[in-house]
Amino acid sequence: MITGDLKSKIDKLWEEFWVGGIANPLTVIEQITYLLFARMLDMHENKDEQRKMLTGTNFAPRFAAHEQDYRFSHFSNLGADEMMELVRDEVFRHFRTLTLKEGGNRNDLLGEFMKGARLEIVKPSLLVKAVEMVKTLPLEHGDTKGDLYEYLLSKLTTAGINGQFRTPRHIIRALVEMMEPNPARGERVCDPACGTGGFLSTSYEYLLERYTSLDAVHVETVVNQKGELEQQPVFSGDQLNEYRKHVDTDMFHGYDFDATMLRIAAMNLIMHGIEEPDIHYQDTMSQSFSDRYPDASHNGFHLILANPPFTGTLDAEDIDPSLLKTVSTKKTELLFVARILQMLKVGGRSATIVPQGVLFGSSKAHQSLRQKLVEDNQLEAVINLPSGVFKPYAGVATAILIFTKGGETDNVWFYDLQNDGYSLDDKRKPIAKNDIPHLVTSWKQYRRSKGLPVDDFIGHKIKEQLNDTVAPMMDWTDRHQKAFIVPKADLAVSKYDLSINRYKEVVYQEEQYEAPRVILARLKALEAEIQSELEELEGML
């Protein structure tokens, strides 16, 4: 866990970056990421050197004989001006030339994302402070590294800009718990627009918690955001050992066309403890995705979790023709759903966040995509999200589509999530009302009622928020509830409109009002009283 002391160090360094002329939070995180990368390169070089001394095992060195000065352990002890010159001119050149070597490891893979790396820090004193902070971080512990990076990424929200890169973490966690990624089945999980890797890192956190035995849960006392001491569980993931190779090398896959995002995503996943995350610089909408990654672009994954970019359009020449055969449009939100359907294996499933326009858009492309989801696949759920979920960065109303590739739809489960535990204004302050625990448990109840396999595991954070509002079993045909089902036939009649308000039934209470003559008589009496008092006031003048 991140302690109050460590948080204060990060906050202080953040202020130093601001004073030093670097105000963009994404740039700050990127610069810290570079220094973390430098230290981790050195750490793993040390481990391999020690292993070679003890066992004689050879390895592909990350630093040649003439590059030993580029190691973090060396330049972190230099004076400010000397450190600045070496890091700016030599260390970053070394970053840019790193490539995956035969026999290399995860950190060499990160070299693919360092080709455009540049040191944005121009003040030697700021570089020294940043290096000193990175030098004190407890990077030897996977759980602490993950918490550290989560705290850094949270700055994207508190800084007030670039928040579009970060999906609210509690929304991500709810989707992960509903979709239940499972390493025991050899599942491959993907995010085709991964950004900072939030869906992938949260999926790994879920696995750590899900696959930790009771006696392997540790409790640490930490300082919460209110400055109060509280106990938090730390999950070791001891029961993941038999699946560790799959988890480390083939379970998590991500694509993005923003090099900055990829650097942060790759480091984020490694900091969480995934040995070799499969992260690639790639526009998944383009023909080159199918050409370069044929196994990934078609029938490649068991689970896709995504909040892809939306409300944008693409140049028709840049769009993979196979997508246009599925849905003839330039709108990114429709094309991404079509691509996700292609990327899933038959029987694979997805939870994808879309703007609500996808649910009710009247264009031919909108209708044909919804028809394809319902008629040619299993559209399982539509979850309505309040429009304030992405504030203060966007007020657009969104929804979550949960679907499985192949088969056919019988009923679609709708859920009206009205509160996510935070105010829906720009401040997004924590509030008591929170439908997320009810959403997760209701979804599990619904799947259980259909005789589908359900993992009874619920994460500790959601357990803490559970209350008696979750009924043992609900009548899913009652459309007055938060959750209800709609038969496919009803959807077809409505041109596959998936907006919840079309199907939800609202109970209106009859209001009793006085007869108009009675109200009019009261108004006349009131007017007469006012007139009388005005005449009395006039007599006093």
Side-chain angles (χ1 to χ4, degrees), residues 204-221:
Y204 181 70
E205 291 172 354
Y206 167 86
L207 296 185
L208 286 180
E209 186 172 351
R210 170 66 180 82
Y211 289 91
T212 296
S213 54
L214 290 177
D215 57 354
V217 178
H218 308 289
V219 177
E220 290 187 358
T221 301

Side-chain angles (χ1 to χ4, degrees), residues 92-299:
F92 271 74
R93 182 194 58 77
H94 183 239
F95 286 169
R96 292 190 292 270
T97 58
L98 278 174
T99 57
L100 181 62
K101 307 168 186 174
E102 185 176 354
N105 61 19
R106 66 183 184 184
N107 294 305
D108 298 315
L109 181 62
L110 274 174
E112 291 297 311
F113 307 122
M114 296 295 175
K115 291 178 180 178
R118 284 193 316 129
L119 182 66
E120 300 285 350
I121 301 172
V122 296
K123 292 185 176 181
S125 59
L126 176 57
L127 178 61
V128 170
K129 291 177 181 177
V131 168
E132 284 300 315
M133 192 211 73
V134 170
K135 193 175 182 179
T136 62
L137 296 178
L139 299 184
E140 296 82 5
H141 307 291
D143 52 351
T144 303
K145 289 188 294 186
D147 292 336
L148 164 68
Y149 224 80
E150 286 303 309
Y151 186 63
L152 283 173
L153 292 177
S154 73
K155 293 287 190 177
L156 287 177
T157 297
T158 57
I161 59 176
N162 294 321
Q164 64 270 25
F165 296 120
R166 189 173 185 268
T167 307
R169 201 50 44 117
H170 57 290
I171 299 293
I172 292 178
R173 178 66 193 216
L175 294 186
V176 170
E177 296 217 12
M178 294 171 71
M179 303 309 290
E180 301 174 359
N182 191 329
R185 295 195 294 259
E187 289 188 343
R188 306 174 80 231
V189 183
C190 179
D191 184 346
C194 66
T196 59
F199 277 105
L200 301 178
S201 61
T202 302
S203 295
Y204 181 70
E205 291 172 354
Y206 167 86
L207 296 185
L208 286 180
E209 186 172 351
R210 170 66 180 82
Y211 289 91
T212 296
S213 54
L214 290 177
D215 57 354
V217 178
H218 308 289
V219 177
E220 290 187 358
T221 301
V222 300
V223 180
N224 61 25
Q225 294 181 347
K226 297 179 181 179
E228 303 167 340
L229 291 177
E230 66 176 28
Q231 290 189 324
Q232 291 280 1
V234 177
F235 303 98
S236 64
D238 60 302
Q239 295 177 343
L240 272 180
N241 290 339
E242 60 180 304
Y243 316 117
R244 176 50 67 178
K245 182 176 180 181
H246 171 66
V247 170
D248 281 341
T249 62
D250 192 41
M251 187 166 185
F252 298 103
H253 307 261
Y255 303 88
D256 207 291
F257 56 80
D258 188 311
T260 300
M261 291 293 100
L262 285 171
R263 292 184 194 116
I264 293 176
M267 183 61 73
N268 186 16
L269 297 175
I270 289 174
M271 293 281 281
H272 273 79
I274 303 171
E275 288 286 333
E276 299 178 29
D278 184 47
I279 307 294
H280 296 283
Y281 179 78
Q282 179 63 54
D283 178 2
T284 51
M285 296 295 97
S286 68
Q287 174 67 46
S288 64
F289 180 47
S290 295
D291 294 339
R292 296 178 61 188
Y293 306 100
D295 295 335
S297 60
H298 291 76
N299 307 309

Side-chain angles (χ1 to χ4, degrees), residues 435-459:
D435 294 332
I436 288 180
H438 185 266
L439 166 67
V440 174
T441 53
S442 295
W443 171 248
K444 290 178 179 287
Q445 288 177 3
Y446 170 65
R447 288 182 59 82
R448 196 175 289 112
S449 71
K450 294 180 64 178
L452 297 172
V454 179
D455 192 335
D456 291 328
F457 170 79
I458 296 177

